[in-house]
Amino acid sequence: MENRLKNKNTNNPDVWTGLQHLHKAIAAGGVDPKLLALVHLRASQINGCSACVHASAAGGKKAGDTDERLHNVAAWREAPFYTDAERAALALAEAATRLQDGALGVTDEIWEEVNAHFTEEQIGAINLEIALTNFFNRINRTIKEPAGKTWG
């Protein structure tokens, strides 16, 4: 796959500044970076974004997660490797990502489960991670960003 956008560095610097602020806000939310990587990975798998699947697996490893957990996140409901809190966050990521599939979206049951495990600040960070992941997935799919490449 060849990237359609050859020079991403010439884009508006305000965009990059805004994205950096969003990443700082997510990091300030108090959520374990391993969990954020799992959320990013699952949404990226759903969206078929190879660049983000690659990046989130690498990010999860860097945060200290295991190959076993990273390789099984697509089957998190059946795999025994995740906590109840992680399962709640993964359910939220899937429901928020699959809006276009005609799915129910984030049900009250999913929201209640997330609220049982996370503070409002943490939920805000998880939601922002999901939204930003979907943002990048769409950009990367549009420009055909290949796995293993980096932005900027």
Side-chain angles (χ1 to χ4, degrees):
M1 181 163 63
E2 187 174 327
N3 191 318
R4 291 174 170 156
L5 187 61
K6 303 303 179 209
N7 188 353
K8 294 179 285 285
N9 290 321
T10 61
N11 289 337
N12 187 332
D14 290 338
V15 172
W16 294 107
T17 300
L19 290 171
Q20 288 172 340
H21 287 293
L22 290 172
H23 283 294
K24 285 180 185 178
I26 292 167
V31 178
D32 184 343
K34 290 188 292 190
L35 175 58
L36 292 174
L38 290 174
V39 164
H40 188 93
L41 177 57
R42 186 64 193 121
S44 298
Q45 288 172 333
I46 292 167
N47 289 325
C49 180
S50 68
C52 286
V53 167
H54 179 84
S56 53
K61 288 288 288 184
K62 184 177 179 183
D65 217 334
T66 65
D67 287 334
E68 183 175 59
R69 286 167 40 89
L70 293 167
H71 289 297
N72 283 281
V73 75
W76 63 268
R77 284 180 180 83
E78 294 81 20
F81 312 119
Y82 309 99
T83 67
D84 288 342
E86 290 168 335
R87 291 175 188 283
L90 289 166
L92 179 64
E94 284 190 1
T97 298
R98 288 197 161 127
L99 294 175
Q100 79 283 0
D101 292 349
L104 296 175
V106 179
T107 63
D108 290 340
E109 179 182 83
I110 291 170
W111 191 252
E112 289 168 12
E113 189 65 22
V114 168
N115 271 289
H117 296 283
F118 300 101
T119 66
E120 261 195 32
E121 185 177 46
Q122 291 172 318
I123 294 169
I126 294 166
N127 275 325
L128 189 53
E129 179 68 26
I130 295 165
L132 195 57
T133 299
N134 279 283
F135 170 82
F136 277 115
N137 290 168
R138 280 150 181 78
I139 289 173
N140 288 336
R141 293 285 311 269
T142 299
I143 67 169
K144 294 187 173 185
E145 181 75 14
K149 302 291 183 179
T150 59
W151 275 86

